[in-house]
């Protein structure tokens, strides 16, 4: 489940006298989002405790934005992702750097991971301060040919359908081959904190 949407497809209904059809305005740029449960990170001291009094650092990923290079010339569609990490620590005694891992992954068809990269951001807390922030960035690449529908599939989706005809009442995406082709050409670029199993469980149950 995504908690943020980015580039997406849209459609417009054509109701001209010649018939009705869907004019699909589609982009090979992936949808950008944060998977639910991965936008927050909590560390404990001691690490084995889960008591509220043992919380050490709490971080949240926010302000996720993306720009997509879709000039039509390159074989790769490159999406640049930026985000901000807001962090809070329990103790403000001295200056401290906290390294937080994050991931960016490319998912095809809703469930197939085709690429993943793990990076790190370092949050710096000044002495006496309990709050800090840092900006991060990531890049995701998608093969343009894989994210582009074939001319035949596009024709079936956008062909004119005259009112009163049986075909006018049939959604072209209800055809399994068309639906599967659209699904295969749909990509997501997901970014979030690289959490341990215990951290994922904590986020799901807190």
């Amino acid at each position: 489940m995504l908690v943020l949407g980015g580039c997406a497809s849209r459609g417009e209904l054509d109701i001209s006298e010649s018939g009705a059809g869907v004019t699909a305005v589609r982009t090979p740029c992936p949808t950008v989002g944060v998977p639910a449960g991965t936008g927050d990170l909590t560390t404990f001291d001691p690490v084995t405790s889960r008591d509220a009094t043992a919380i050490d650092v709490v971080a949240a990923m926010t302000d996720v934005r993306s720009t997509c290079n879709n000039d039509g010339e390159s074989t790769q569609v490159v999406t640049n992702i930026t985000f901000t990490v807001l962090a809070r620590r329990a103790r403000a005694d001295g200056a401290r750097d906290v390294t937080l891992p994050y991931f960016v992954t490319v998912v095809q068809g809703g469930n197939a991971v085709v690429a993943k990269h793990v990076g790190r951001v370092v949050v710096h807390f000044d002495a006496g301060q309990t709050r800090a922030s840092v900006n991060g960035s990531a890049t995701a690449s998608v093969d343009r040919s894989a994210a582009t529908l074939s001319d035949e599939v596009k024709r079936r989706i956008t062909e004119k359908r005259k009112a009163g005809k049986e075909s006018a009442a049939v959604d072209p995406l209800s055809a399994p081959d068309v639906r599967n082709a659209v699904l295969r050409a749909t990509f997501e670029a997901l970014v979030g904190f690289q959490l341990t199993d215990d951290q994922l469980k904590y986020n799901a149950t807190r």
Side-chain angles (χ1 to χ4, degrees):
M1 180 178 178
L2 294 184
V3 296
L4 175 83
C7 303
S9 304
R10 65 184 177 89
E12 298 175 349
L13 184 62
D14 178 358
I15 54 174
S16 61
E17 293 182 0
S18 59
V22 176
T23 303
V25 182
R26 192 178 185 279
T27 171
C29 295
T31 298
V32 174
V34 179
T38 67
D40 299 276
L41 183 151
T42 303
T43 63
F44 293 85
D45 184 15
V47 295
T48 56
S49 175
R50 290 298 177 267
D51 293 336
T53 56
I55 291 178
D56 182 26
V57 174
V58 176
M61 187 175 292
T62 185
D63 197 26
V64 179
R65 300 175 182 273
S66 66
T67 56
C68 179
N69 178 18
N70 183 27
D71 58 14
E73 296 180 359
S74 174
T75 59
Q76 295 291 310
V77 178
V78 178
T79 300
N80 296 308
I81 305 167
T82 60
F83 57 88
T84 299
V85 173
L86 305 178
R88 174 173 46 87
R89 61 174 176 168
R91 297 180 295 276
D93 39 8
R96 181 184 176 189
D97 288 339
V98 177
T99 301
L100 303 175
Y102 68 91
F103 69 87
V104 57
T105 184
V106 177
V107 178
Q108 182 180 19
N111 58 15
V113 176
V114 296
K116 182 178 180 180
H117 172 73
V118 176
R120 288 170 176 79
V121 293
V122 178
V123 181
H124 175 76
F125 292 95
D126 290 328
Q129 299 297 316
T130 60
R131 297 180 182 273
S133 65
V134 65
N135 296 324
S137 62
T139 301
S141 297
V142 172
D143 188 84
R144 182 180 299 278
S145 61
T148 303
L149 294 174
S150 68
D151 291 340
E152 170 62 16
V153 171
K154 286 189 286 188
R155 182 193 64 78
R156 292 174 63 181
I157 293 174
T158 61
E159 67 181 348
K160 302 294 185 179
R161 293 169 177 82
K162 291 186 177 181
K165 296 289 186 178
E166 182 179 351
S167 61
V170 178
D171 181 356
L173 293 177
S174 65
D177 59 332
V178 174
R179 183 172 62 251
N180 291 336
V182 172
L183 190 62
R184 285 194 303 272
T186 300
F187 289 82
E188 298 165 298
L190 307 180
V191 61
F193 287 114
Q194 180 69 21
L195 304 176
T196 65
D197 290 341
D198 285 343
Q199 289 170 333
L200 281 169
K201 186 180 302 183
Y202 175 79
N203 282 356
T205 58
R206 63 178 177 167

